[in-house]
Amino acid sequence: MANPVDPAQTSPPSTSPSPAPATQQSTDMSSQQPPSQPPQPSNGASKPAKPPKQPKSKDAPPAAGGAPGEEKLSPAELKKKAKAEKAARRAKERAEREASGGAGAGPGPNAAPPKKGSTGGGAGGKEAPGQPYKSQRHRRGSATQASATEQKKKQEDKNVAVFGHLYGQPRRTTIAGAGKEVHPAVLALGLQMRDYVVCGSSARCVATLLAFKRVIEAYTTPLGTSLSRHLTTHLSHQITYLSTCRPLSISQGNAIRALKLAISSIDPSVPEASAKATLSDFIDNFIREKITVADQVIATSAAEKIQDGDVIVTFAGSSIVKQTLLTAYKQGKKFRVSIIDSRPLFEGKNLARTLANAGLEVQYSLVNGISHAIKDATKVFLGAHAMTSNGRLYSRVGTALVAMSAKERAGGVEVPVIVCCETVKFTDRVALDSIVVNEIADADELVPSQPLKQVTGLPDPADEADTKKGDSKKGGNKAAANAPPAESTPLPEGASPLTNWKETPNLQLLNIMYDVTPAEYVDMVVTEMGSLPPSAVPIVHRMSTNL
Amino acid sequence: MASTTPAPSESAKPFDIVATYNELLRSDPDLTMPIAAIEALVLLLTHSPSSTISETLDLLEKSTAHLKKSIPNPIGLSAGTDLFQRYLITTLQRPGQLGPAGDFNAIRAHLLSNGRLFIRRAKESRDKIAAFGRGFVRDGSTVLTNGGSRVVASLLQKAADDKGGPSAVRFRVIYVLSPAKDSSAEPEGMETVRALRAKGVPVATIPESAVAYSLGKADIVIVGAEGVVENGGIVSRMGTYQIGLLAKAMGKPFYAVAESHKFVRLYPLGQYDLPIEQRVIDFNTEEDITDGHKPQSVAHSSDVVDFTPPHLISALITDSGVLTPSAVSEELIKIWF
């Protein structure tokens, strides 16, 4: 669904996966919508008959008919309605495309029912062969569909089944279709976050708050409502837009919650100008207290743990770890840093360059070489996306592997794993695995021939790891291992074998963003409120939110 | 305990906190290091003519730093000084008569009286711990313990009393004794051994090398602690860590006994991450020795400590209840925020 492949290139099967969820959604929506909209009058109306019903619902409540009636809808209802309309529109487009594609009528309706069945039943039937799923055999035995449809279905489904629930809306690619309420600063920020120009939990949190500050500065309360009431909904539009660009991080969520609380606690009698000034101050204070100063405190106290002769292993590019290492270096400590990085974001490259420029001794390797990198490690420093209430670390995918390698190093002394994390990243959620809650990025990022489709920002600077990168390209795509080698379309010279992965049958790519490190692998969490064992995360979270 | 020569105190200060601290420890064998530190600080406040809050805090900070520097192992001590400082600040920040707006003399009087109250309470906490902990010593069980911890001693004695005097004693003790620094003195903990034997408790004393051998006969391990750190581990007499490792390997419950004023805001990541310098491992060649560098074996003195990580500890018996190691940080956070 991501980039609706342009019609010229599409073979019919590749388009047809999308209509299934879309139509499903639209039917869901249309069946949901009528009951919620007119609760009292139109009980007798038949559900699917949408067009005849709408006038009816307009007529029935005479007090609030027509346009004013629509205004009365709550934002949630509005959103639902907009979604339903969009889904319907999309479904129509797709139907047209299919019809023009020729294969149309046949696979279209055929594709929908099996899809429904498989989403209802969880994992199973749509697995690529070779993936070890116990339920698969059983399911297949019980499935009554013809093998032809099954074949089709497998080709169609490019979502990895276990993570099926995480494929929501694809990330927004343009600002087209964004609501007119969305502030330009937010529009730009959304795209920057989408392109990983603004990347990292803290950076996104700060950027969001700063953008919201501009939103608030540009905001005027409409007549007939108060700032504390209307501004929240106004911000909600911005937030919705941001979350369509990339799902919000935990820190963003926490910051937004705090901001909304601050807005709602403003006395309606306060004049608008001073209310806005208060909110601006609140945002500045929040950024300073929860992130800027917190980072300094964390960096200082984490740097104390670095001793002469240490070999510090870190994963990807955490800004707080960078600050810690630089602080320790400035204190005159002699230590080595080993950065472990991974595809496709290569966040470690920036860190490596910054540290090397500052004068530190840096070793850079990819996660494939973890067993070598960890051999002479004495400490592991990790950044965090979030800390969950059961003490687990939710961070860039690969972190768990690094932590595990450090803790389970065969025959060596235990290497302490230290997490640097501001309390704004703490959440009361609990994560048992990295499947239930996660984020899936565009799988095209894994296809190496098109590295990062950046709209903004700089091209990739560091080329010193070219050879390593080449290695990783071969090994990095586990999903590729299952792909049958034979391909009908000959690939151009130099292109990755994965380039046409959407057309390749039995091939799914998974580009997952985060993983969960068990609490047992974390020795210490350094926060601005002191160093804690992971088990103390919920207590500190409770305290920092109550204050 | 370690009676280092008090460093030359600042000339302006007539009151020597280090000497007071050492004197307090020497005069009262029941006094723990954090309490001695707090008592010394209270005495300091009574002696010093500070008249403003910031002056008091400043004085306190300076003396604390001075005291910490002059004592070879300030871990236990810093628990006391930190606690006192924290207490002082929260008292001063509280609104009302005793807050920043109030009369300073009243504040001072209040602080001093409360400080004394705190010390009295801290001394009582040992009985409280004994009350909590004696349930862990079951009929017919064998307890393995080490060192010269007064809390452990009082716990065991309480348990012996509890069972109705000499006639009805139903537990035995394996006491791990480490040899004293000079062979003439008796090893630390001998006093407790005598006291327990007097109560009719059968006590076996073993050297540290026999712990693994004897642990099979023990049912539980109870040790004292010099400090309880933030992750729930304990800083304790050298040798505790290995007992912990052995107990874990053999599946015996390992309990640490400590007053809650021994909780330190410290987060060691391992043995070599303690904020003290211990020259336990001292490499020497023949040449070094002939050069006059004498290899000193400090490993047996009572001053050296090791760190027992939390995953080896089954529970901590404290005066605020029996805690799991992970609850320690919660307690500490409660004190500090």
Side-chain angles (χ1 to χ4, degrees):
Chain A
M1 222 174 339
N3 305 318
V5 220
D6 55 311
Q9 161 189 2
T10 29
S11 55
S14 76
T15 42
S16 35
S18 1
T23 44
Q24 199 184 333
Q25 208 179 13
S26 68
T27 48
D28 280 356
M29 286 302 167
S30 54
S31 62
Q32 260 172 28
Q33 200 190 6
S36 73
Q37 210 175 7
Q40 330 96 329
S42 60
N43 276 340
S46 63
K47 261 189 183 176
K50 207 178 169 188
K53 198 172 173 189
Q54 256 172 351
K56 204 176 186 181
S57 72
K58 266 179 199 166
D59 293 346
E70 248 171 86
E71 229 169 68
K72 280 271 161 68
L73 292 177
S74 77
E77 280 170 324
L78 268 174
K79 215 186 282 174
K80 212 183 269 173
K81 200 176 164 199
K83 234 187 206 168
E85 279 168 8
K86 205 196 259 173
R89 205 190 317 131
R90 216 176 286 148
K92 211 180 14 177
E93 276 171 21
R94 216 150 266 132
E96 280 168 14
R97 205 187 298 155
E98 246 160 61
S100 68
N110 261 4
K115 178 80 199 228
K116 236 175 219 173
S118 61
T119 41
K126 48 182 170 173
E127 278 302 321
Q131 254 168 319
Y133 253 78
K134 277 181 199 159
S135 63
Q136 189 180 1
R137 182 146 304 192
H138 165 75
R139 265 197 80 88
R140 219 178 252 169
S142 68
T144 50
Q145 297 135 354
S147 65
T149 18
E150 205 174 340
Q151 185 87 22
K152 186 127 290 171
K153 184 182 66 190
K154 260 188 273 158
Q155 283 177 3
E156 290 156 7
D157 198 2
K158 288 301 176 190
N159 291 358
V160 179
V162 200
F163 294 96
H165 60 287
L166 296 173
Y167 292 91
Q169 293 273 55
R171 286 188 193 168
R172 179 187 286 276
T173 47
T174 57
I175 56 169
K180 65 178 184 333
E181 307 92 343
V182 182
H183 191 274
V186 178
L187 286 175
L189 175 65
L191 288 187
Q192 284 174 324
M193 291 202 299
R194 179 200 171 272
D195 287 338
Y196 309 109
V197 174
V198 175
C199 189
S201 185
S202 308
R204 278 156 71 194
C205 180
V206 172
T208 312
L209 283 173
L210 289 177
F212 283 180
K213 200 173 134 189
R214 291 184 59 186
V215 172
I216 290 171
E217 276 161 7
Y219 170 84
T220 43
T221 317
L223 279 177
T225 171
S226 69
L227 178 131
S228 56
R229 283 188 175 188
H230 184 260
L231 183 53
T232 330
T233 50
H234 182 64
L235 276 185
S236 298
H237 294 300
Q238 329 284 331
I239 295 161
T240 318
Y241 166 78
L242 283 183
S243 63
T244 58
C245 294
R246 198 179 155 189
L248 295 183
S249 69
I250 301 283
S251 55
Q252 277 175 305
N254 284 342
I256 288 168
R257 205 166 305 135
L259 179 61
K260 280 189 172 171
L261 195 70
I263 293 172
S264 62
S265 61
I266 284 178
D267 196 324
S269 63
V270 173
E272 188 180 308
S274 67
K276 278 158 71 176
T278 320
L279 287 176
S280 284
D281 283 351
F282 173 82
I283 289 176
D284 285 341
N285 275 334
F286 190 91
I287 293 175
R288 190 166 55 238
E289 271 172 32
K290 298 281 183 179
I291 294 174
T292 320
V293 175
D295 277 2
Q296 284 165 7
V297 173
I298 293 170
T300 330
S301 67
E304 276 169 26
K305 290 290 166 195
I306 298 177
Q307 282 150 1
D308 281 355
D310 265 347
V311 179
I312 310 287
V313 168
T314 181
F315 180 72
S318 157
S319 64
I320 178 72
V321 169
K322 177 170 77 185
Q323 210 175 328
T324 302
L325 296 174
L326 288 175
T327 309
Y329 181 72
K330 272 185 209 127
Q331 287 168 357
K333 289 181 174 156
K334 306 255 181 304
F335 59 97
R336 220 146 55 73
V337 181
S338 174
I339 297 169
I340 296 172
D341 206 358
S342 78
R343 299 189 65 233
L345 289 180
F346 294 112
E347 290 161 294
K349 284 183 181 177
N350 247 326
L351 176 68
R353 191 178 47 178
T354 318
L355 293 183
N357 283 348
L360 279 92
E361 213 180 310
V362 180
Q363 174 190 329
Y364 177 92
S365 58
L366 287 177
V367 78
N368 334 29
I370 177 88
S371 57
H372 296 289
I374 213 79
K375 233 170 223 162
D376 45 1
T378 59
K379 282 185 184 95
V380 176
F381 276 80
L382 297 173
H385 177 87
M387 289 292 299
T388 62
S389 268
N390 50 352
R392 296 190 167 203
L393 166 66
Y394 182 71
S395 192
R396 179 71 67 237
V397 64
T399 308
L401 180 64
V402 175
M404 187 184 74
S405 312
K407 296 311 282 184
E408 316 245 307
R409 192 169 65 163
V413 237
E414 251 194 17
V415 181
V417 175
I418 299 166
V419 174
C420 303
C421 179
E422 302 93 340
T423 53
V424 75
K425 292 178 184 173
F426 286 8
T427 171
D428 49 6
R429 264 197 243 160
V430 163
L432 296 176
D433 52 39
S434 47
I435 298 171
V436 176
V437 177
N438 213 318
E439 183 183 338
I440 287 194
D442 192 355
D444 281 327
E445 288 166 13
L446 289 182
V447 182
S449 59
Q450 17 174 201
L452 270 179
K453 279 188 289 175
Q454 288 206 332
V455 186
T456 44
L458 294 164
D460 212 341
D463 275 343
E464 71 262 15
D466 248 347
T467 48
K468 284 177 196 163
K469 204 158 97 187
D471 279 349
S472 80
K473 269 173 203 169
K474 270 176 212 153
N477 307 294
K478 289 159 230 147
N482 295 332
E487 261 309 307
S488 49
T489 45
L491 289 165
E493 196 64 29
S496 153
L498 290 177
T499 313
N500 293 329
W501 68 279
K502 280 187 178 153
E503 286 77 50
T504 312
N506 304 331
L507 174 62
Q508 298 168 315
L509 295 193
L510 175 66
N511 187 11
I512 200 96
M513 295 285 285
Y514 299 104
D515 65 10
V516 171
T517 308
E520 303 87 73
Y521 289 154
V522 176
D523 288 278
M524 172 158 107
V525 185
V526 183
T527 73
E528 73 267 27
M529 294 176 86
S531 307
L532 322 161
S535 58
V537 167
I539 307 151
V540 171
H541 176 66
R542 210 182 311 135
M543 279 174 28
S544 62
T545 46
N546 283 355
L547 282 177
Chain B
M1 225 152 262
S3 55
T4 48
T5 48
S9 57
E10 288 138 71
S11 54
K13 214 188 296 161
F15 179 82
D16 187 358
I17 183 138
V18 181
T20 318
Y21 171 77
N22 284 326
E23 182 54 38
L24 280 168
L25 276 181
R26 216 173 300 126
S27 62
D28 187 354
D30 268 351
L31 213 57
T32 57
M33 280 183 277
I35 296 302
I38 293 178
E39 206 163 340
L41 288 177
V42 169
L43 282 175
L44 168 79
L45 285 191
T46 29
H47 281 263
S48 64
S50 58
S51 58
T52 64
I53 293 172
S54 65
E55 198 183 336
T56 314
L57 288 179
D58 191 46
L59 174 73
L60 215 60
E61 209 165 296
K62 257 196 222 134
S63 332
T64 306
H66 175 57
L67 185 60
K68 276 188 193 167
K69 244 201 325 250
S70 328
I71 302 294
N73 175 8
I75 294 175
L77 178 155
S78 66
T81 54
D82 285 0
L83 203 62
F84 189 66
Q85 197 176 353
R86 189 70 215 162
Y87 167 74
L88 209 64
I89 291 170
T90 43
T91 319
L92 294 176
Q93 277 171 347
R94 212 175 297 143
Q97 179 58 42
L98 299 169
D103 172 28
F104 184 74
N105 279 331
I107 296 171
R108 228 176 84 135
H110 171 80
L111 277 180
L112 294 179
S113 68
N114 263 20
R116 294 208 186 86
L117 181 72
F118 178 81
I119 291 164
R120 205 170 55 244
R121 277 213 205 119
K123 282 179 183 164
E124 283 160 11
S125 64
R126 213 167 281 166
D127 298 330
K128 239 177 166 180
I129 292 173
F132 277 125
R134 69 181 182 214
F136 286 86
V137 183
R138 299 259 177 86
D139 261 3
S141 64
T142 307
V143 179
L144 187 135
T145 183
N146 78 333
S149 166
R150 285 147 295 198
V151 206
V152 177
S154 83
L155 191 154
L156 291 177
Q157 285 172 32
K158 188 104 174 176
D161 288 341
D162 195 38
K163 306 259 156 71
S167 57
V169 175
R170 275 182 248 153
F171 73 97
R172 295 180 296 175
V173 173
I174 301 175
Y175 214 106
V176 183
L177 292 176
S178 51
K181 220 184 271 181
D182 43 350
S183 46
S184 58
E186 66 174 9
E188 202 184 10
M190 212 45 215
E191 215 175 298
T192 316
V193 171
R194 268 199 301 275
L196 284 172
R197 280 179 175 154
K199 285 186 189 288
V201 181
V203 183
T205 60
I206 57 165
E208 278 167 329
S209 50
V211 171
Y213 174 84
S214 324
L215 206 53
K217 291 278 185 195
D219 296 304
I220 63 167
V221 180
I222 299 182
V223 299
E226 200 164 295
V228 180
V229 296
E230 253 181 298
N231 55 4
I234 56 169
V235 174
S236 188
R237 188 69 31 86
M238 181 69 74
T240 311
Y241 176 41
Q242 64 199 29
I243 297 177
L245 280 173
L246 289 168
K248 181 85 179 174
M250 293 199 180
K252 308 280 179 185
F254 181 91
Y255 298 108
V257 187
E259 299 95 324
S260 59
H261 61 249
K262 281 182 176 166
F263 288 9
V264 208
R265 245 175 109 76
L266 193 72
Y267 204 120
L269 292 169
Q271 302 302 326
Y272 318 114
D273 197 30
L274 294 172
I276 48 173
E277 194 143 341
Q278 314 190 96
R279 276 186 298 142
V280 176
I281 307 167
D282 194 10
F283 296 103
N284 281 294
T285 60
E286 194 61 46
E287 211 173 322
D288 293 334
I289 295 168
T290 47
D291 277 358
H293 180 90
K294 250 175 71 191
Q296 35 182 194
S297 94
V298 274
H300 291 307
S301 83
S302 57
D303 292 337
V304 284
V305 291
D306 61 19
F307 164 64
T308 310
H311 66 94
L312 300 179
I313 300 171
S314 314
L316 292 143
I317 304 170
T318 73
D319 50 325
S320 42
V322 180
L323 309 174
T324 59
S326 56
V328 171
S329 59
E330 194 171 345
E331 288 287 314
L332 269 168
I333 290 166
K334 263 192 228 156
I335 295 173
W336 279 82
F337 292 102

